[in-house]
Amino acid sequence: MLSRIAESMFWIGRYVERAEDTARILDVQTQLVLEDATVDEDATCRSLLSIMGVEHVEGRADLPLVLDALCYDPASSISIASALAAAREGARRARETLSVPMWEALNTTYRAIPSGQFQAMRAPAIFQWVRERAALVNGTADATTVRDEGWHFLMLGRCVERADMTSRLVASAALAGAGQPWTPTLRASGAYEAFLRAYRGMETERASAEFLLLDRLFPRSVVFALNRAEQCLENVESSQRAGFQNDAQRLLGRMRAELEYRSLSDLMDDLPHQMERVQTTCALATEAVTRRYFAGSEALAWQGVQG
Amino acid sequence: MVAMFDGYVSSGPAYDEMFDGDRLRPPYARLRTSLDTMTTPELVSRVEALQKGYLDQGVTFDIGGEERAFPLDILPRVIEMDTWTTIEKGVQQRVRALELFLADVYDAGQVFDDGVIPRGVITTSSHYHRAAAHVRPPNGVRVHVSGIDLIRDNAGEFRVLEDNVRVPSGVSYVMTNRRAISAALPETIAEHRIRPVAGYPQRLLQALRAAAPAGVTDPTVVVLTPGVFNGAYFEHALLARTMGVELVEGRDLVCRRGRLMMRTTKGLEPVHVVYRRIDDEFLDPVHFRADSVLGVPGLIDAARAGNVTLANAVGNGVADDKLVYTYMPDIIRYYLDEEPVLRNVDTWRMGDAEARAEVLDRLDELVLKPVDGSGGKGIVIGPHATRAELDGLRTKVLADPRAWIAQPVVQLSTVPTFVDGSLGPRHVDLRPFAVNDGSRVWVLPGGLTRVALAEGELIVNSSRGGGSKDTWVLAGPTQVELQEAAEEPVTEPVAAAAEVPEVPESPVAPVAPPVHHAPEMPVGPVLADLHAQAEQQQQGGGPC
């Protein structure tokens, strides 16, 4: 498969997952702010933006500003709007390799932005819409995509993004400090009932974090996502007798092992920092994948004469 | 209830293809019966569904960075079998002659020695490339794909307006238009016997495979596109997808030791046939424009060495030059010893002193065309031009006579078209597509009908706001063509219904959290940052 197309597939997977997970995080946080008048809106919004990698906010941070930056504003690189547009742009470039239904699912989702429909939807309905559209894209992909290399890169992108974003979701819950941020966080992952069943209703911060980080059966947990990402890499690599040739595999595997073998208390004591390490690992793994499989797809060897 | 065609007036000197005055022409009889039972509001709703469908499917083209759906009129154009047979013969004849002419021009040049066409006409053409000289393509084909533009004159006769043998585009809309109209007018389609168009990609693939370098039994074929900003990108993607081959950009390819390779996740893999949708000038910075970021350094040498086939061949532009067009009837007689089946539109060469004097006297009643223009660029329609424009034109013609030809104002034929809620006559042309696989020239039944959507407008190009129509070639009573497998049907996505999620129990007031530093969200390869590429990719304006 063409390197450039493989790269497009990887990023389609990432952007669709990013749009969905951003919607999940916003859903939780907007509820927290809106439902409780005593919440310090400015501080909560700042911390939320910082979790998404935005350090500087001019003036007072409030909910409309956050919604603009993380949801509506197509010019903001971390907004749902720009993630959907980027996923569709990637799809347009890989159009001959995508199944027609999958392209249409991505395209019609994106069409809501230029048509103004996206801007017109309000929270929390818009988050519901984004989740449903992501489900439509993923389900269509699942039902119509041949399980070739392109599929593995699509899944790899989705899993890497999911590990990264779940770690941000957990970090945002940890930031909320006291209160019960974990219930809405679990809800945001669509995992609340599964969690209650798994832990027989014993809802504690520890148990919630453990579930979201380490559960081997829950598809949105960090460990589950890292595991799947490793499998995807295995599928595109020829098997090794010993060790890993592939930097991305090493990085992801080591992170997963660290999370699994560390004591939960250790993790909990330093949750935000540990989550950052997950994010850094995902970024490094992405670089490694790019070097190994996508290299040369954008570098132009020919230096043309100007004029 | 008002029937749809009541009050339709086909006025003016143009030939209306549906009505002869107020008499219906035979090919349209069934169409009229079928549509007359439909009310205008019903038609309007179908038109809306048609437009939405094109946006959802992404049947769009970029014009100046904005993505637009290609306008498709709901009323088809119908062509009878006999009429079509003539067109088909004429197009085949023309392609055969063009092939022989190109082979001759880039080899011995017999046609010059025998005085059919002056050598200077070719050697002064900006499309003449020495890189193409003395290169014999593997199966002798240079014009793998052609689009021969036809118009129907006031007498109803089809005439050739120009030949496109470089990178003709528009065939994708022939296929999508048929599917869209099948969905919009299923009953009407069912009442006709229309020759199918879905087989085009297979014919093209077969022709491309047949053109593979000698000794390659299972060639790797690719479609080479300038990229996503190009007006015809949709078409490039559709053809690659329906042929089941890779769609590549220049940066995906690299030449190694005179062979062409593509960059894959498993390393470099060989490529044997390139269906290129990039103009000659951008193909290879070593040979042509050095600033091109769309091509592949070394591609021309690889092709000259016979290691890779380029379709269409480099240098074909000398044959579809508007000046060479004026010699085409003689070229057909010279190589084939036949009379042209399809006549040219009467044309004067401005390089010829006698013709020039006559034309300059009558500038206000003629059409002047730059020899090099495409997409309707630079054309001056005398009757519509101001005095100042005509004076400017006169100066230009005198400065460089070879750069111009003149033609009478030909009233393109009209077909009823649905604009702003009612039917009116609009001018159309026709671009049949032909595929040459080396053993025969196959002509896609139908081709692209382009329609000028503004009343009285004679320029139909998409870059000038033209649209298109589905073109139905009626099958004869004895012809049974198997309906070729259409692509999978397109389902309409269902809009999501918003539900308000459950509200959890009220949480206790959280304490203001400490501000934390998370890494930035990584982003993929920057998509919008390819300005040089974007600009070059847009070469050529609209899709067809």
Side-chain angles (χ1 to χ4, degrees):
Chain A
M1 145 160 287
L2 282 179
S3 303
R4 182 174 51 84
I5 298 294
E7 186 167 33
S8 281
M9 297 300 273
F10 176 81
W11 284 98
I12 292 167
R14 285 202 74 156
Y15 282 124
V16 172
E17 185 67 27
R18 182 173 301 180
E20 178 183 356
D21 295 351
T22 305
R24 289 176 184 280
I25 290 175
L26 282 175
D27 205 0
V28 179
Q29 297 289 334
T30 49
Q31 275 185 41
L32 285 175
V33 172
L34 291 175
E35 283 169 11
D36 192 333
T38 61
V39 171
D40 179 346
E41 189 174 342
D42 178 69
T44 309
C45 290
R46 268 174 203 283
S47 62
L48 177 55
L49 285 167
S50 110
I51 277 173
M52 302 309 266
V54 180
E55 294 305 343
H56 288 291
V57 183
E58 296 287 321
R60 192 173 175 284
D62 59 4
L63 214 46
L65 178 116
V66 165
L67 285 176
D68 227 34
L70 292 179
C71 181
Y72 294 107
D73 184 3
S76 158
S77 67
I78 52 172
S79 70
I80 292 173
S82 73
L84 293 178
R88 186 261 185 176
E89 194 56 36
R92 202 152 84 95
R93 283 149 200 274
R95 219 178 132 164
E96 76 293 350
T97 47
L98 293 177
S99 71
V100 172
M102 183 178 170
W103 153 254
E104 290 204 2
L106 280 160
N107 188 44
T108 48
T109 303
Y110 158 80
R111 294 278 331 149
I113 299 168
S115 77
Q117 186 200 342
F118 184 83
Q119 294 288 343
M121 282 186 279
R122 300 266 59 94
I126 192 167
F127 306 134
Q128 171 86 3
W129 180 85
V130 173
R131 283 204 304 268
E132 282 175 2
R133 294 309 298 191
L136 177 73
V137 171
N138 293 339
T140 307
D142 183 76
T144 57
T145 307
V146 176
R147 298 316 195 246
D148 61 2
E149 245 185 318
W151 168 260
H152 298 312
F153 281 112
L154 180 77
M155 292 302 293
L156 178 66
R158 186 193 297 177
C159 294
V160 168
E161 184 73 25
R162 188 173 288 180
D164 175 296
M165 288 297 271
T166 304
S167 75
R168 289 178 200 262
L169 184 74
V170 168
S172 73
L175 279 187
Q180 286 184 316
W182 291 99
T183 305
T185 304
L186 287 164
R187 276 189 200 284
S189 300
Y192 189 57
E193 289 75 16
F195 165 79
L196 287 180
R197 269 200 304 283
Y199 288 83
R200 309 239 169 94
M202 292 294 295
E203 201 184 332
T204 62
E205 202 173 321
R206 269 180 77 91
S208 308
E210 183 177 59
F211 187 72
L212 288 173
L213 290 176
L214 308 178
D215 196 280
R216 291 199 189 99
L217 303 180
F218 172 54
R220 306 197 67 84
S221 82
V222 174
V223 160
F224 188 100
L226 290 172
N227 224 329
R228 281 295 294 279
E230 286 178 81
Q231 275 172 26
C232 293
L233 284 165
E234 238 164 82
N235 288 333
V236 292
E237 274 297 334
S238 43
S239 60
Q240 289 277 315
R241 281 286 292 271
F244 295 101
Q245 255 194 331
N246 184 322
D247 285 345
Q249 251 172 319
R250 266 190 325 99
L251 286 159
L252 295 172
R254 199 172 63 194
M255 188 74 228
R256 179 184 52 75
E258 261 185 52
L259 288 172
E260 290 198 284
Y261 286 98
R262 271 185 102 140
S263 78
L264 188 59
S265 310
D266 269 7
L267 284 176
M268 295 299 293
D269 285 347
D270 188 16
L271 207 48
H273 180 243
Q274 293 301 330
M275 293 305 96
E276 265 178 49
R277 296 194 51 233
V278 173
Q279 290 148 36
T280 310
T281 302
C282 289
L284 290 171
T286 300
E287 280 170 28
V289 167
T290 304
R291 272 197 312 275
R292 185 171 180 84
Y293 300 104
F294 312 148
S297 64
E298 68 215 286
L300 286 165
W302 174 266
Q303 291 298 320
V305 182
Q306 291 308 307
Chain B
M1 189 187 84
V2 181
M4 192 182 309
F5 295 101
D6 287 0
Y8 177 84
V9 183
S10 59
S11 59
Y15 178 94
D16 190 85
E17 301 198 4
M18 184 160 180
F19 290 98
D20 178 5
D22 53 0
R23 277 189 322 111
L24 185 69
R25 297 189 196 270
Y28 284 86
R30 200 166 278 186
L31 183 72
R32 179 176 185 163
T33 326
S34 173
L35 291 180
D36 253 354
T37 56
M38 200 186 294
T39 60
T40 304
E42 192 181 341
L43 190 72
V44 169
S45 76
R46 293 190 187 205
V47 168
E48 280 166 3
L50 201 63
Q51 285 161 345
K52 183 179 179 306
Y54 263 18
L55 277 174
D56 284 350
Q57 294 163 38
V59 183
T60 56
F61 63 97
D62 276 37
I63 195 150
E66 185 199 341
E67 223 182 306
R68 285 194 219 160
F70 191 52
L72 164 61
D73 183 61
I74 193 160
L75 280 155
R77 175 204 212 163
V78 186
I79 298 177
E80 247 173 341
M81 192 186 65
D82 294 354
T83 313
W84 178 254
T85 307
T86 308
I87 292 174
E88 186 175 46
K89 278 208 187 85
V91 168
Q92 286 168 330
Q93 177 191 54
R94 210 136 170 127
V95 173
R96 279 185 294 139
L98 284 161
E99 285 278 15
L100 291 165
F101 175 65
L102 279 166
D104 190 8
V105 163
Y106 282 114
D107 194 25
Q110 201 64 45
V111 71
F112 308 132
D113 301 342
D114 292 339
V116 179
I117 182 170
R119 193 179 295 267
V121 169
I122 300 300
T123 49
T124 58
S125 164
S126 61
H127 298 294
Y128 179 80
H129 292 311
R130 293 197 2 225
H134 307 294
V135 177
R136 202 182 168 286
N139 63 341
V141 176
R142 285 181 176 78
V143 187
H144 306 80
V145 180
S146 47
I148 309 294
D149 286 356
L150 310 176
I151 55 146
R152 203 165 188 179
D153 67 13
N154 311 13
E157 183 190 350
F158 276 98
R159 303 257 202 132
V160 178
L161 188 66
E162 64 177 40
D163 304 292
N164 296 287
V165 295
R166 278 172 286 165
V167 187
S169 67
V171 75
S172 56
Y173 301 115
V174 177
M175 293 183 277
T176 54
N177 285 358
R178 177 62 48 84
R179 288 183 51 202
I181 296 296
S182 303
L185 303 173
E187 316 85 347
T188 313
I189 283 248
E191 289 164 6
H192 287 78
R193 299 199 47 228
I194 306 162
R195 294 184 56 188
V197 294
Y200 180 85
Q202 275 55 50
R203 296 272 183 174
L204 175 59
L205 182 62
Q206 185 202 334
L208 294 170
R209 290 179 65 96
V216 181
T217 47
D218 186 13
T220 299
V221 177
V222 299
V223 177
L224 174 61
T225 176
V228 72
F229 298 107
N230 186 266
Y233 178 76
F234 165 79
E235 172 155 317
H236 309 160
L238 180 94
L239 290 174
R241 196 174 69 236
T242 47
M243 290 194 290
V245 304
E246 300 282 4
L247 178 66
V248 304
E249 294 177 20
R251 57 194 166 135
D252 298 322
L253 301 173
V254 58
C255 288
R256 289 272 191 277
R257 291 186 302 284
R259 293 182 187 278
L260 182 65
M261 312 295 255
M262 61 181 169
R263 301 177 206 269
T264 76
T265 51
K266 299 270 192 276
L268 296 179
E269 289 180 6
V271 174
H272 307 105
V273 183
V274 181
Y275 179 46
R276 48 94 172 210
R277 298 296 303 257
I278 294 182
D279 292 342
D280 287 358
E281 299 77 73
F282 290 95
L283 268 180
D284 181 346
V286 175
H287 269 275
F288 303 118
R289 282 182 54 162
D291 65 344
S292 171
V293 291
L294 307 178
V296 190
L299 181 59
I300 297 297
D301 288 339
R304 282 185 65 96
N307 294 327
V308 61
T309 305
L310 296 177
N312 289 359
V314 169
N316 282 4
V318 295
D320 61 11
D321 177 308
K322 289 195 179 67
L323 194 54
V324 172
Y325 161 88
T326 62
Y327 293 93
M328 272 311 286
D330 295 333
I331 288 172
I332 290 172
R333 291 182 196 108
Y334 173 74
Y335 287 109
L336 304 177
D337 206 10
E338 296 169 7
E339 274 305 299
V341 175
L342 296 170
R343 294 196 297 159
N344 269 14
V345 172
D346 306 337
T347 309
W348 295 274
R349 300 173 195 135
M350 292 298 86
D352 165 359
E354 211 171 306
R356 188 164 62 236
E358 186 187 344
V359 169
L360 289 176
D361 273 348
R362 303 170 43 204
L363 269 188
D364 59 335
E365 44 188 278
L366 298 173
V367 180
L368 270 279
K369 293 182 177 179
V371 169
D372 247 353
S374 69
K377 271 202 289 284
I379 293 182
V380 182
I381 298 176
H384 301 179
T386 63
R387 173 65 35 209
E389 280 169 348
L390 291 178
D391 290 338
L393 177 66
R394 188 183 309 272
T395 316
K396 278 193 220 160
V397 171
L398 287 169
D400 185 7
R402 190 209 174 281
W404 295 88
I405 57 165
Q407 291 172 340
V409 178
V410 180
Q411 284 291 336
L412 278 60
S413 58
T414 56
V415 177
T417 303
F418 195 73
V419 184
D420 299 333
S422 69
L423 287 179
R426 291 293 183 274
H427 295 291
V428 296
D429 78 347
L430 178 66
R431 176 177 290 181
F433 292 92
V435 175
N436 185 0
D437 66 5
S439 51
R440 71 175 282 231
V441 178
W442 176 79
V443 187
L444 176 70
L448 183 68
T449 292
R450 294 183 298 179
V451 54
L453 296 174
E455 193 160 6
E457 172 68 68
L458 288 169
I459 295 179
V460 294
N461 305 72
S462 61
S463 46
R464 300 279 293 263
S468 70
K469 285 176 165 288
D470 191 13
T471 310
W472 295 358
V473 173
L474 300 182
T478 54
Q479 272 184 315
V480 179
E481 286 227 24
L482 288 175
Q483 186 72 35
E484 280 154 276
E487 291 173 64
E488 61 205 280
V490 175
T491 48
E492 280 287 313
V494 184
E499 270 183 53
V500 181
E502 273 178 78
V503 179
E505 306 110 74
S506 180
V508 181
V511 181
V515 172
H516 212 84
H517 300 276
E520 280 192 26
M521 311 260 285
V523 290
V526 181
L527 299 172
D529 215 357
L530 301 162
H531 285 308
Q533 286 199 301
E535 210 160 298
Q536 289 191 2
Q537 286 181 21
Q538 290 178 26
Q539 40 154 319
C544 46

